[in-house]
Amino acid sequence: GDSALVRSRIATELSDGGLDPDDAQIVVEPAVAAWGEPVRVRISIDEQAAIPFAGTWAVPLEAEFVTRSEVTR
């Protein structure tokens, strides 16, 4: 589920990929997951693309990942 550790790991991965984690919308559902329950993570961010003399525009990036919870709390 959703936790500070999960959010920290996502922020690290985004930063390592050259994306600003503060610009990302992150959804982790459910917030609390029982062992074996599916966990869905969705991330969306608008990045800027630029071509000299042609212009700059927003490029929406989205990713979704589904896994199962393997931690009991």
Side-chain angles (χ1 to χ4, degrees):
D2 200 358
S3 69
L5 178 62
V6 169
R7 298 266 175 173
S8 174
R9 179 64 188 266
I10 291 170
T12 298
E13 295 298 326
L14 288 171
S15 292
D16 289 350
L19 301 172
D20 185 350
D22 292 334
D23 293 339
Q25 293 78 46
I26 302 167
V27 178
V28 180
E29 298 175 322
V32 177
W35 188 86
E37 184 177 357
V39 176
R40 179 181 312 270
V41 178
R42 286 190 304 271
I43 302 171
S44 58
I45 189 169
D46 285 336
E47 277 298 298
Q48 294 295 314
I51 297 177
F53 308 108
T56 302
W57 60 93
V59 177
L61 303 175
E62 296 182 5
E64 183 173 333
F65 180 77
V66 180
T67 188
R68 68 182 178 130
S69 175
E70 295 185 358
V71 176
T72 57
R73 294 209 156 93

